[in-house]
């Protein structure tokens, strides 16, 4: 990152530093999520669960309780969804999209098999990792899966995505 004041940077310098800061922010957020998971697994705050961690974080910082709860909730979801967690920690998806995908995978439609959930996870992560995708696109894909029982071949075609390597069912 540039140590000059913002007014001293040209247009390319400004854009470059903003992108650097976004990358650093994601790295810091990823590290914070990993530390929260570790706090929970070690029962650092007396083993009372994630709610206590959010309250502790709120009381120890200037963060609002809602923001603390979202951060701690993301840590909990990523503990349950390691594939999504790996994508988040690599920087393939941001926190909001990781939360959407992990939440869907933890609460899939009743008629989905575990194999279908695995396929849906791959499709949704593929969509969420595209630079052009926003949370609304991921939400729309989830809504399509929830509103009617789609076969995942049809869902793939609707999202214009390819399956990971393997036979089509």
């Amino acid at each position: 990152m540039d140590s000059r004041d913002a007014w001293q940077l040209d247009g390319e310098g400004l854009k470059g530093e903003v992108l650097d800061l976004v990358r650093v922010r994601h790295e810091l957020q990823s590290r914070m999520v990993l530390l929260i998971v570790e706090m929970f697994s070690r029962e650092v705050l007396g083993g009372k669960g994630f709610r206590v961690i959010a309250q502790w974080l709120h009381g120890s910082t200037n963060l609002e309780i809602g923001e603390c709860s979202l951060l701690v909730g993301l840590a909990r979801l990523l503990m349950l969804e390691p594939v999504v967690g790996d994508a988040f920690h690599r920087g393939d998806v941001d926190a909001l999209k990781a939360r959407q995908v992990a939440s869907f995978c933890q609460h899939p439609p009743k008629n989905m098999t575990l194999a279908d959930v695995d396929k849906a996870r791959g499709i949704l992560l593929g969509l969420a990792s595209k630079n052009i995708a926003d949370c609304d696109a991921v939400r729309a894909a989830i809504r399509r899966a929830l509103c009617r029982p789609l076969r995942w071949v049809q869902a793939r075609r609707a999202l214009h995505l390819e399956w990971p390597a393997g036979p089509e069912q």
Side-chain angles (χ1 to χ4, degrees), residues 14-86:
L14 287 169
K15 292 189 296 187
E17 188 159 349
V18 167
L19 294 176
D20 287 345
L21 290 171
V22 167
R23 182 187 46 76
V24 169
R25 183 186 75 171
H26 182 84
E27 289 170 358
L28 291 171
Q29 189 176 38
S30 173
R31 176 75 175 156
M32 196 171 359
V33 166
L34 287 170
L35 293 172
I36 290 169
V37 167
E38 190 64 25
M39 286 176 71
F40 181 72
S41 66
R42 289 190 201 178
E43 298 182 356
V44 171
L45 298 175
K48 305 245 190 246
F50 280 103
R51 173 175 263 163
V52 171
I53 295 173
Q55 291 169 345
W56 166 81
L57 187 58
H58 169 63
S60 302
T61 66
N62 66 349
L63 297 176
E64 290 294 324
I65 189 66
E67 185 177 355
C68 295
S69 295
L70 286 172
L71 187 61
V72 171
L74 176 62
R76 178 180 38 223
L77 278 170
L78 297 184
M79 273 179 58
L80 299 171
E81 287 292 329
V83 173
V84 179
D86 290 344

Side-chain angles (χ1 to χ4, degrees), residues 60-122:
S60 302
T61 66
N62 66 349
L63 297 176
E64 290 294 324
I65 189 66
E67 185 177 355
C68 295
S69 295
L70 286 172
L71 187 61
V72 171
L74 176 62
R76 178 180 38 223
L77 278 170
L78 297 184
M79 273 179 58
L80 299 171
E81 287 292 329
V83 173
V84 179
D86 290 344
F88 170 71
H89 294 301
R90 278 192 314 269
D92 295 346
V93 295
D94 64 26
L96 293 174
K97 293 174 196 157
R99 180 179 291 108
Q100 284 180 311
V101 174
S103 182
F104 172 82
C105 293
Q106 283 298 300
H107 308 286
K110 291 178 183 175
N111 62 344
M112 284 187 94
T113 66
L114 288 177
D116 287 340
V117 172
D118 287 341
K119 289 177 185 177
R121 182 183 299 107

Side-chain angles (χ1 to χ4, degrees), residues 135-149:
C135 288
D136 291 336
V138 176
R139 190 176 300 113
I142 290 171
R143 196 175 312 119
R144 280 195 291 274
L146 292 173
C147 288
R148 62 184 200 267

